[in-house]
Amino acid sequence: MADQALLFVFDPLCGWCYGAAPAMARLQAATSLPIELWPTGLFAAGNARPMTPAFRDYAWQNDQRIEQLTGQRFTQAYYDQVLSNYSVAFDSWSVTLALHLIEQAAPGQGLAALHRLQALRYVDGRDLSQPTVLADVAESFGLARADFLAAYADVEQHRALRIRIDAGQQLMASLHLHGVPALVSRDGERLAVLPSQLLFEAGDGMAAWLQAACAPR
């Protein structure tokens, strides 16, 4: 068991990663295996982009497809206050850093924190580039506000996150993954990639896959 884990490869501003949240929550409730978050920096720092009317419309159209497939909500508040806020870049660095810090303070709570942050963005329409918004979430997971804000500004924490993102990118390359989200089973040196469609289905296909992936060989 110590060498077994499930690796969730993601970016917190990826709508499809939000769409996978119900399946990931069911999986976490059904397994004793640890679930590790592997951020890839898909939309972070150098991969960020400005928010424009054209990109807003593209993102919203994609979000509607995700909502139809998964039932996950993308609200008018999100459209008005996030997608239509052209002064804030589409950049996942801040929220990924917040997750990184929360996980240090609350081991094993990374997935729950990710889902909390996703709901703030896509349902409540909150700006996850704001340290004060992120500090509220960190506090709810037991990290003192002052400690969070100090760590959030700490260059060493930024370097640690950069290393972590590099590792996520290397994992994607080694497994020939072309996008996120992805779920990978690790059993010692053995890695198995979940068929991506199972992340968006309500059936028991993920449980069957997990049982097969973790079976002795």
Side-chain angles (χ1 to χ4, degrees):
M1 182 70 73
D3 293 329
Q4 291 183 317
L6 299 171
L7 319 181
F8 185 59
V9 186
F10 77 105
D11 186 279
L13 296 194
C14 160
W16 287 104
C17 297
Y18 170 58
M24 290 303 301
R26 289 195 303 272
L27 178 62
Q28 187 172 47
T31 182
S32 60
L33 292 177
I35 297 177
E36 300 177 3
L37 298 187
W38 284 65
T40 65
L42 180 64
F43 301 116
N47 293 326
R49 59 172 300 160
M51 185 64 74
T52 64
F55 184 66
R56 175 202 62 189
D57 293 345
Y58 167 79
W60 184 246
Q61 182 179 37
N62 196 49
D63 294 338
Q64 299 314 291
R65 290 177 53 219
I66 298 168
E67 182 169 340
Q68 290 172 5
L69 179 64
T70 68
Q72 288 288 81
R73 296 174 60 208
F74 295 84
T75 67
Q76 190 66 39
Y78 158 68
Y79 180 86
D80 293 337
Q81 297 164 199
V82 175
L83 290 183
S84 301
N85 185 356
Y86 307 134
S87 66
V88 177
F90 191 82
D91 186 346
S92 61
W93 175 265
S94 295
V95 62
T96 308
L97 177 60
L99 277 169
H100 175 71
L101 299 174
I102 290 169
E103 285 184 291
Q104 293 178 51
Q109 293 298 305
L111 191 64
L114 172 61
H115 293 170
R116 182 86 55 84
L117 289 160
Q118 288 171 325
L120 279 177
R121 175 180 172 84
Y122 295 112
V123 179
D124 297 339
R126 302 296 299 278
D127 177 5
L128 297 186
S129 71
Q130 295 296 316
T132 53
V133 174
L134 301 172
D136 289 341
V137 177
E139 277 194 303
S140 73
F141 284 92
L143 181 54
R145 192 177 193 85
D147 291 341
F148 171 80
L149 292 173
Y152 185 83
D154 186 346
V155 172
E156 291 304 316
Q157 292 288 358
H158 288 228
R159 289 183 181 139
L161 179 57
R162 183 69 259 175
I163 291 170
R164 188 173 174 184
I165 286 173
D166 288 345
Q169 293 174 349
Q170 291 166 12
L171 178 69
M172 287 190 71
S174 69
L175 295 174
H176 307 289
L177 299 175
H178 301 295
V180 294
L183 185 67
V184 179
S185 168
R186 183 181 69 215
D187 185 358
E189 297 296 318
R190 189 176 76 193
L191 299 175
V193 181
L194 173 83
S196 59
Q197 68 272 16
L198 296 181
L199 283 168
F200 309 106
E201 294 181 354
D204 58 1
M206 188 182 291
W209 170 83
L210 180 60
Q211 184 177 13
C214 296
R217 295 186 186 178

